[in-house]
Amino acid sequence: MPRDTLASGSNARYIRHVAGGAGTLLGNGFPMDAGTGMVLASNAVHLRNESLRHVICSGGPGAIVANKDGWSDLAEDTPPAAVRTSTLAQIAWGYSTAACFGPFPIGQDNAFLAVGADDLARSVHVSVTCKSDGTHALTIYFAVTDRYQPPTAGAVAFETATTTSSSFVEVRSSGLTVRGQPTPYPTGVAGDPGGGVASVPEYYVWVGWLLAAGGTGAVRGFTGWEIDG
Amino acid sequence: MSVLIPARFPSVDLAAAVVGRPVGYGWIDTIGAALAFLQGRIKHVVCAADYLSRAHGARRFLYTPSRGARVLVVVIGLHESADATTTQTVTLALSSATLLTGAPLDGSAAVACPTARFRTPQQYVALFDVSKLVVGTLYELVVTSAAGAGTSYGVRRVAAYEVPRDATNAPGDPANEPGINPAFGQPGTNLYAGSVSTSGDVAAGMERVLGQLDDARATTRRFVVNLASVEDTTNAWSLASTSGSYLDLGTPYLRTRAKRLYAAAAAGNTLQARIRYALNGTTATLRFKSSAGTTYDLALANTGGAWTGVTGTVKLDTNLGAGSNAQEDYWTISANVGGAGKVLYVSAIAAVDNES
């Protein structure tokens, strides 16, 4: 597991050392001892633990319309009501009911997954600043897709959370599992394996909303970042 | 000859080392691979925003390259329009960088807007060559839209990230490439400290490790806030002057998560904030207030109504707890605008980690 540091939890830290090129850590010709090596290794692992990226920073639509699931807005492939029984299909995930973020490149080093696991993708955590009117439920839908398509066409992860708060609150997802379709991009380096083309697994994050009939509410902003586990 | 960057962070077992004994080549090789992974595979995610203001004009996102970045991917989505015949133009610009992909995101061709009654996925992708950009320098990624046929509403969403690297192209070039040249050590031998003037032998390996740690500490995960509105007085955030009080600019959603490098509260978590704004005939003070109430002010000079950028230092609170929510914080951004009837306009807010 890539989590071996000299301290953990709230004591975990980067241990300062002489700057690169200073040449003063050891004298010329002397070997580096294991204690120094452990400090450097601990620092490298600590930097990995702190390299979880901020991925979403966005404003929201503001005031939202109650009881609008978006299905009636669509002229294409609207499934019959009998099909729209799953929680995932309670909204249409179109322009009036959802936001889409991405694509994002997957970081393959989730420290909480077993060594040797096929998929070590970091999870993603999403936070929504929103409010209702104190009475009516505002449901926030979180989904991850492995390509640019609505979650109803296939979601890697999906969950919901609800608030009735009349003041702005933060509604959070848990750690959403991510998985992505490899997308070819040039790396800009002619000598790279694959002829200078990287196959980057990408994923998308979707956030939807549905306010109960008769309510008033707003969605003010979205934030998301990578997490372990 | 290129050197492969591992697809996953290599396991580092501290128990394998015995204090007081020399460290073998393999140990440093592992650290080098770990640093190559951090800087080569975990590249910057620059921004991702949806529901941008529904208008045409320029949006300016902050960008600073990571070590060894070569290609920046920019993905654009458009606001929906009334029918399928509506078009607009979108022009991407990034100073000192070359747009590798041509039309349509160079502004030379019209792009079709998605129609309101369809949700068919539609997005446009562009690539920039950012290899000439300087690490540590702040650049602006400018996304400009203009009306074409019919009534269109501009860019709705923007996402940008650097393409991960599979390999280093010139592993012996410390200034430009991540990781450590395996040739700097020798299997089965100790790694010796020494001067970089002996480049290529085991001595230079030690310098390379320290240098790469410095780089990774400073450049890993830099972006924490990156938000832009159309740069005009209709769509930007605005705030009229009052009698000396700070007023909310309406952005309490600038929630973020700081990089926690040091245990000491006084060290680290310093960020560089960049604001695009316009003021005419007055000055203002922009205030970042952390969740714990600490405030950091940026002085905004009179620009005569022109749009300009200002950079300053802000901080996040430290030691914000452990677990999945560790190091979370949020800012409330407010402003004090001098002079009766004067208005402050803010079109972009960004903050990057400024560890050095």
Side-chain angles (χ1 to χ4, degrees), chain A residues 14 52 58 118 172 202, chain B residues 8 50 161 221 261 328:
Chain A
Y14 187 93
L52 302 171
S58 178
D118 290 336
R172 293 166 165 264
E202 293 179 329
Chain B
R8 297 171 181 176
D50 196 341
Y161 74 82
R221 199 187 69 169
L261 292 180
E328 282 187 27

Side-chain angles (χ1 to χ4, degrees), chain A residues 122-133:
Chain A
R122 298 172 173 186
S123 301
V124 65
H125 170 100
V126 181
S127 165
V128 180
T129 302
C130 58
K131 71 174 184 178
S132 178
D133 55 11

